[in-house]
């Protein structure tokens, strides 16, 4: 055969360029390609597979993204790799956490996610290497309207176990160096969901960047006692804003104590009892697990390992007894007390009033329920409730207290449905007398009558402005006129509206809205106006305003209550580390107050810590005692 002559190469100065006519029609294009191949100007293509190369699998940090909401929300993902770190095998929100052992380098993206399986216990175990498919979902604890942050989850999930017994990713330690002092970005009340996380600047961003990941605390001080749901709060910042007894002191909206973290347990309680810890105790050693988030405390370590409780022997306090020339006034929220309350609680309240509060001369009580408690029968009387309490006090060695109160209109004062909570006075007739003035009832407003030394109430007991919209679905203040050592003393027992409906400090709206504050401002204004009326009649009138005001000493409601300098909030006279009587989500704070008219300067005020810091409580509030000397 004749040898094939190689194609004549084109001159280097003339690169191959098809003419315009060569680009007309597929046949012409094919011919040109063939010519170029023959000329060695194009390489022959490699064999092409039938399917395009598979894209890399979606990884957990791709799902989590760098904001609070997944960029893949609502989408179906498949073959997501990771290692199971923990399983929730109880309740209606079962599932498991899976974490990618190959993290990216972005500190804003979490490497873990919760796989939700509903009421079905998933057939996986810690250490399983899995490939998970599911729908990316944003779950809002308490519902989206609650204002809390969302948890990124995989729902409608399926998975395969590739291997078992794998090492778990190391837990990220939570400690002062890893938690920024600034709590949250300021979105002027708007949502922070769309903002890129800045975990080195804001504590909330730091926690969110660790959502679902294994975290740990070591030798963690307890700042919120164990509750009935087997939860407690610790602080990862032991040196920050501590109370005199080991709690985390809440003294400003700007500083909600970033190191607070809730501890729950994924361990079977029968085999691993949850520690019954008080404030000031310590979880010694390591407490670790996935970082979860819920509507009952925010960021939570769902612990698979819990440190041993070290008992710091927190002692319930006692106050001193009053001198003969001192009038002792107390306030105590007895938390939904009725004859349906277990007898043991009556006995504990009585023991506290007699022994730890030294039998005050006057006690302003809050949350006294009617005689059938939460049964919604239409009954509003509370004589059986108050008799049972005063009988228990006498049996505990205390005085035979008498009481005064006014029955509310059924269902109009808020609180537990059917309970008809109200304020009430106890008083020791051996030390102080009550000035009974007829005319007080649930709807008639009490007024100030007379002037100077003849100043009195139009009714005693009486209710302050009960028809004012400020008191809608809320307890009306109870005013009473007493006599101590021949001199009149006016006491107002209060229970302002609760914080229900406010956005939490860990809300996705920052700063959070405090909508309940509007009503408390109006309530504070009404009581302030009453005190001003009293002082206008007698500038030297001795008056005590006491009770559960459901607000902080730095809140606008307290500024409104003390406006014009007519009242002094006694909590401001305590050392800063002692300014608390209630513990909420690990924050020791002030909700109950005792205030006095401005000229009463010889006072001795004590918040008696017997409840709020303890796992075993007779009430969730600590009582307070104020001793007055003219």
């Amino acid at each position: 055969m004749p040898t094939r002559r190689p194609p004549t190469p084109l001159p280097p100065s003339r690169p191959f360029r098809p003419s315009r006519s060569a680009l007309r029609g597929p046949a012409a294009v094919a011919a040109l390609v063939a010519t170029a191949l023959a000329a060695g100007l194009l390489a022959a293509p490699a064999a092409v597979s039938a399917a395009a190369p598979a894209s890399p699998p979606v990884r957990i940090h791709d799902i989590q993204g760098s904001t609070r909401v997944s960029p893949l929300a609502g989408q179906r993902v498949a073959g997501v790799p990771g290692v199971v770190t923990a399983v929730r095998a109880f309740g209606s929100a079962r599932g498991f956490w899976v974490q990618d052992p190959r993290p990216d380098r972005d500190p804003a993206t979490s490497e873990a996610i919760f796989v939700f399986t509903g009421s079905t216990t998933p057939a996986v175990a810690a250490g399983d290497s899995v490939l998970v498919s599911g729908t990316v979902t944003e779950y809002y604890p308490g519902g989206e309207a609650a204002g809390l942050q969302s948890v990124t989850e995989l729902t409608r999930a399926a998975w395969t176990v590739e291997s078992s017994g794998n090492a778990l990713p190391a837990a990220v330690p939570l400690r002062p160096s890893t938690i920024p002092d600034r709590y949250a970005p300021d979105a002027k009340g708007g949502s922070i969901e769309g903002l890129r996380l800045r975990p080195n600047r804001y504590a909330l961003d730091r926690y969110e960047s660790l959502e679902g990941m294994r975290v740990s605390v070591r030798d963690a001080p307890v700042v919120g006692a164990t509750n009935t749901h087997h939860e407690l709060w610790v602080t990862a910042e032991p040196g920050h804003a501590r109370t005199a007894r080991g709690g985390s002191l809440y003294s400003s909206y700007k500083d909600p104590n970033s190191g607070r973290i809730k501890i729950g347990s994924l361990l079977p309680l029968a085999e691993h009892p949850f520690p019954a810890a008080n404030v000031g105790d310590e979880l010694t050693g390591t407490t670790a697990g996935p970082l979860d988030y819920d509507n009952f405390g925010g960021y939570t370590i769902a612990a698979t390992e819990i440190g041993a409780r070290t008992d710091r022997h927190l002692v319930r306090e006692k106050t001193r007894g009053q001198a003969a020339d001192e009038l002792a006034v107390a306030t105590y929220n007895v938390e939904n007390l009725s004859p349906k309350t277990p007898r043991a609680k009556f006995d504990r309240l009585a023991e506290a009033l007699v022994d730890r509060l030294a039998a005050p001369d006057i006690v302003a009580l809050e949350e006294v329920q009617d005689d059938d408690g939460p049964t919604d029968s239409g009954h509003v009387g509370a004589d059986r409730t108050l008799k049972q309490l005063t009988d228990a006090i006498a049996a505990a060695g205390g005085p035979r207290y008498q009481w005064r109160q006014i029955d509310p209109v059924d269902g109009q004062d808020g609180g537990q449905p059917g309970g008809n909570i109200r304020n009430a006075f106890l008083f020791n007739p051996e030390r102080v007398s009550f000035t009974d003035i007829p005319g007080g009832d649930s709807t008639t407003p009490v007024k100030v009558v007379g002037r100077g030394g003849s100043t009195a109430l139009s009714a005693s007991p009486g209710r302050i402005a009960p028809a004012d919209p400020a008191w809608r679905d809320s307890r009306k203040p109870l005013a009473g006129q007493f006599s101590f050592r021949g001199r009149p003393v006016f006491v107002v027992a209060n229970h302002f509206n609760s914080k229900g409906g406010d956005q939490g400090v860990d809300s996705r709206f920052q700063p959070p809205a405090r909508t309940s504050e509007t009503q408390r401002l109006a309530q504070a204004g009404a009581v302030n106006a009453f005190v001003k009326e009293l002082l206008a009649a007698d500038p030297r009138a001795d008056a005590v305003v006491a009770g559960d005001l459901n607000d902080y000493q730095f809140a606008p409601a307290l500024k409104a209550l003390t406006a014009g300098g007519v009242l002094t909030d006694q909590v401001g006279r305590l050392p800063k580390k002692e300014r608390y009587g209630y513990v909420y989500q690990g924050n020791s704070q002030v909700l109950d107050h005792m205030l006095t008219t401005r000229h009463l300067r010889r006072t001795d005020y004590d918040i008696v810590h017997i409840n709020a810091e303890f796992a075993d409580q007779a009430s969730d509030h600590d009582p307070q005692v104020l001793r007055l000397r003219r």
Side-chain angles (χ1 to χ4, degrees):
M1 290 180 63
T3 12
R4 293 188 62 185
R5 192 173 67 178
T8 304
L10 294 172
S13 60
R14 293 183 60 193
F16 174 74
R17 181 178 299 147
S19 67
R20 290 175 181 266
S21 61
L23 297 178
R24 293 178 182 171
V29 173
L32 284 171
V33 171
T35 302
L37 286 170
L41 299 173
L42 288 177
V48 180
S49 62
S55 59
V58 172
R59 304 194 79 90
I60 292 173
H61 48 250
D62 300 321
I63 298 172
Q64 288 283 8
S66 59
T67 68
R68 285 173 164 77
V69 176
S70 170
L72 304 179
Q75 298 182 32
R76 188 83 181 166
V77 294
V80 180
V83 174
V84 176
T85 60
V87 179
R88 182 187 286 140
F90 54 85
S92 59
R94 304 183 191 195
F96 59 95
W97 285 268
V98 60
Q99 185 166 336
D100 194 335
R102 294 170 52 197
D104 65 6
R105 296 184 178 182
D106 187 348
T109 58
S110 169
E111 300 294 340
I113 197 166
F114 183 68
V115 181
F116 174 76
T117 62
S119 57
T120 301
T121 301
V124 293
D128 285 352
S129 177
V130 293
L131 295 175
V132 185
S133 301
T135 301
V136 180
T137 303
E138 293 293 336
Y139 166 67
Y140 289 88
E144 192 168 354
L148 298 177
Q149 299 184 64
S150 63
V151 179
T152 304
E153 300 179 341
L154 291 181
T155 60
R156 300 173 60 195
W159 59 89
T160 58
V161 177
E162 301 291 294
S163 63
S164 298
N166 298 282
L168 303 186
V172 177
L174 300 178
R175 54 193 178 209
S177 62
T178 65
I179 302 172
D181 289 335
R182 296 187 183 186
Y183 190 66
D186 185 353
K188 310 300 182 186
S191 174
I192 59 176
E193 282 188 318
L195 302 180
R196 178 176 171 81
L197 298 177
R198 302 171 72 183
N200 295 322
R201 185 172 180 83
Y202 300 112
L204 275 188
D205 286 8
R206 177 62 170 162
Y207 292 133
E208 181 64 19
S209 74
L210 299 172
E211 181 185 272
M213 294 176 62
R214 276 174 42 81
V215 299
S216 66
V217 290
R218 184 166 181 81
D219 299 336
V222 175
V223 295
T226 303
N227 62 24
T228 57
H229 302 287
H230 307 293
E231 302 164 334
L232 57 79
W233 275 260
V234 300
T235 180
E237 295 183 305
H240 181 78
R242 304 297 296 281
T243 70
R245 288 161 58 88
S248 285
L249 186 67
Y250 185 47
S251 57
S252 166
Y253 288 130
K254 294 181 180 179
D255 182 14
N257 295 312
S258 300
R260 291 174 305 110
I261 192 86
K262 189 172 78 171
I263 307 296
S265 179
L266 295 175
L267 302 169
L269 291 175
E271 302 167 26
H272 304 273
F274 194 80
N278 300 323
V279 168
D281 289 351
E282 180 183 275
L283 294 187
T284 303
T286 298
T287 298
L291 186 62
D292 197 14
Y293 180 86
D294 66 27
N295 55 320
F296 299 105
Y299 289 101
T300 302
I301 298 179
T304 55
E305 176 185 3
I306 300 179
R309 177 205 174 206
T310 298
D311 187 351
R312 299 301 188 197
H313 305 290
L314 190 70
V315 175
R316 299 182 199 268
E317 291 185 337
K318 289 186 177 183
T319 197
R320 70 170 178 85
Q322 63 270 33
D325 62 344
E326 287 181 311
L327 174 67
V329 182
T331 180
Y332 200 169
N333 183 320
V334 292
E335 194 181 8
N336 291 323
L337 189 68
S338 81
K340 292 187 175 180
T341 302
R343 174 62 186 267
K345 176 172 176 175
F346 279 94
D347 292 342
R348 290 186 63 181
L349 292 171
E351 180 274 334
L353 284 162
V354 174
D355 184 43
R356 302 194 177 276
L357 274 65
D361 303 316
I362 302 169
V363 184
L365 298 174
E366 299 88 48
E367 291 199 23
V368 173
Q369 290 193 340
D370 63 32
D371 294 332
D372 59 8
T375 300
D376 194 2
S377 65
H379 179 78
V380 294
D383 284 348
R384 283 181 53 211
T385 304
L386 291 164
K387 184 177 188 306
Q388 189 166 335
L389 178 59
T390 54
D391 285 350
I393 293 169
R400 173 54 71 178
Y401 280 107
Q402 296 181 16
W403 69 83
R404 297 292 188 274
Q405 62 93 35
I406 292 177
D407 293 336
V409 177
D410 183 36
Q412 297 300 304
D413 282 17
Q416 188 177 29
N420 288 309
I421 57 172
R422 82 289 309 276
N423 307 314
F425 293 123
L426 303 184
F427 65 95
N428 178 4
E430 299 298 318
R431 289 268 302 161
V432 66
S433 61
F434 189 87
T435 305
D436 286 296
I437 302 172
D441 58 32
S442 59
T443 59
T444 302
V446 64
K447 300 292 184 183
V448 176
V449 296
R451 296 194 66 81
S454 299
T455 299
L457 301 181
S458 61
S460 176
R463 300 177 105 195
I464 295 176
D468 191 312
W471 308 110
R472 184 176 292 116
D473 293 324
S474 185
R475 284 64 57 191
K476 285 66 176 173
L478 185 70
Q481 183 173 329
F482 297 84
S483 180
F484 177 69
R485 296 170 71 89
R487 184 174 177 86
V489 178
F490 303 93
V491 181
V492 181
N494 301 269
H495 188 188
F496 286 6
N497 75 298
S498 77
K499 293 182 176 293
D502 286 2
Q503 293 170 350
V505 294
D506 55 326
S507 167
R508 69 181 185 275
F509 299 100
Q510 291 293 333
R514 299 184 293 271
T515 54
S516 68
E517 199 171 76
T518 301
Q519 188 173 5
R520 283 192 301 280
L521 274 168
Q523 292 174 339
V527 175
N528 177 268
F530 178 81
V531 174
K532 285 178 176 175
E533 184 183 355
L534 183 65
L535 292 176
D538 180 4
R540 303 289 293 172
D542 296 345
V544 176
V545 174
D548 177 3
L549 304 185
N550 266 316
D551 226 334
Y552 317 117
Q553 71 274 27
F554 52 84
L558 269 296
K559 291 180 174 62
L561 185 57
T562 57
V566 296
L567 289 168
T568 300
D569 190 357
Q570 293 293 315
V571 74
R573 294 184 171 180
L574 290 178
K576 185 175 180 179
K577 289 187 174 184
E578 297 178 16
R579 297 176 189 174
Y580 67 95
Y582 190 83
V583 181
Y584 181 69
Q585 295 184 357
N587 266 334
S588 295
Q589 57 197 247
V590 176
L591 292 183
D592 305 85
H593 298 255
M594 301 193 79
L595 303 95
T596 55
T597 40
R598 56 193 170 206
H599 64 278
L600 290 173
R601 302 183 187 277
R602 300 176 65 192
T603 60
D604 182 20
Y605 170 68
D606 192 6
I607 301 175
V608 188
H609 300 298
I610 61 174
N611 288 317
E613 299 169 304
F614 294 88
D616 181 21
Q617 302 177 340
S619 168
D620 51 351
H621 292 250
D622 286 331
Q624 305 182 2
V625 177
L626 174 67
R627 289 171 284 266
L628 301 169
R629 180 183 276 127
R630 283 291 302 224

